[in-house]
């Protein structure tokens, strides 16, 4: 008999294996998937005045944006500095969204990142499958 704890552990192992075996392009799209999932969850939590959940989601989203920014290689791509500027703007918007409990800033971040999410999926040749706001996907950024 499978217990809920055993099932959760199996899901975590599967997600860990998926991350470890993913190509760099797939890792990037996974980060974007998780980033937008975090932002949609934060938006829903802000609308419900669930400030702790909103904060947790916004902080995780900030970690992902920082990871995306630090992974840019300007010596290999002349567009890296422009993209880094977008990431920094979004990161500061998320800080503001969290401090001021401002759902409009969270929505702004979603609007700015959605075209990038779509573009990276197109470039990687992967199908986009955005999850509903409550769906679980486990891609963790350590930071």
């Amino acid at each position: 008999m499978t217990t809920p704890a055993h099932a959760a552990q199996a899901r975590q192992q599967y997600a860990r294996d998926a991350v470890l075996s993913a190509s760099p392009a797939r890792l990037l799209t996974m980060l974007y998937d998780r980033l937008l999932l975090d932002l949609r969850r934060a938006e829903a939590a802000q609308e419900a005045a669930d400030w702790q959940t909103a904060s947790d989601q916004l902080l995780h989203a900030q970690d992902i944006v920082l990871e995306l920014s630090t992974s840019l290689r300007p010596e290999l791509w002349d567009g890296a500095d422009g993209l880094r500027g977008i990431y920094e703007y979004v990161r500061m918007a998320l800080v503001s969204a969290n401090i001021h409990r401002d759902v409009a800033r969270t929505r702004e971040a979603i609007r700015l990142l959605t075209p990038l999410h779509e573009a990276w999926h197109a470039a990687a040749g992967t199908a986009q499958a955005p999850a509903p706001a409550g769906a679980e996907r486990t891609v963790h950024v350590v930071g």
Side-chain angles (χ1 to χ4, degrees), residues 11-24 26-28 30-31 137-141:
R11 279 192 306 275
Q12 287 178 338
Q13 182 62 45
Y14 176 79
R16 204 171 14 258
D17 291 346
V19 169
L20 292 174
S21 64
S23 69
R26 180 66 185 127
L27 285 173
L28 180 64
M30 291 170 77
L31 283 170
R137 282 199 184 161
T138 308
V139 177
H140 295 284
V141 175

Side-chain angles (χ1 to χ4, degrees), residues 47-120:
E47 289 171 346
D50 180 355
W51 304 117
Q52 184 58 56
T53 299
S55 179
D56 292 345
Q57 296 300 312
L58 290 167
L59 289 171
H60 193 254
Q62 288 171 49
D63 288 344
I64 294 172
V65 171
L66 182 60
E67 179 66 26
L68 289 168
S69 181
T70 59
S71 71
L72 290 171
R73 307 276 305 272
E75 69 276 7
L76 300 177
W77 179 50
D78 61 0
D81 288 331
L83 189 53
R84 182 170 285 124
I86 293 170
Y87 289 151
E88 182 58 21
Y89 180 85
V90 167
R91 191 183 67 76
M92 294 309 298
L94 297 178
V95 168
S96 179
N98 202 3
I99 291 170
H100 301 290
R101 298 178 172 179
D102 186 353
V103 71
R105 295 304 303 265
T106 303
R107 289 182 182 132
E108 178 184 26
I110 292 169
R111 279 192 307 275
L112 288 170
L113 293 170
T114 296
L116 292 171
H117 173 258
E118 293 167 357
W120 285 119

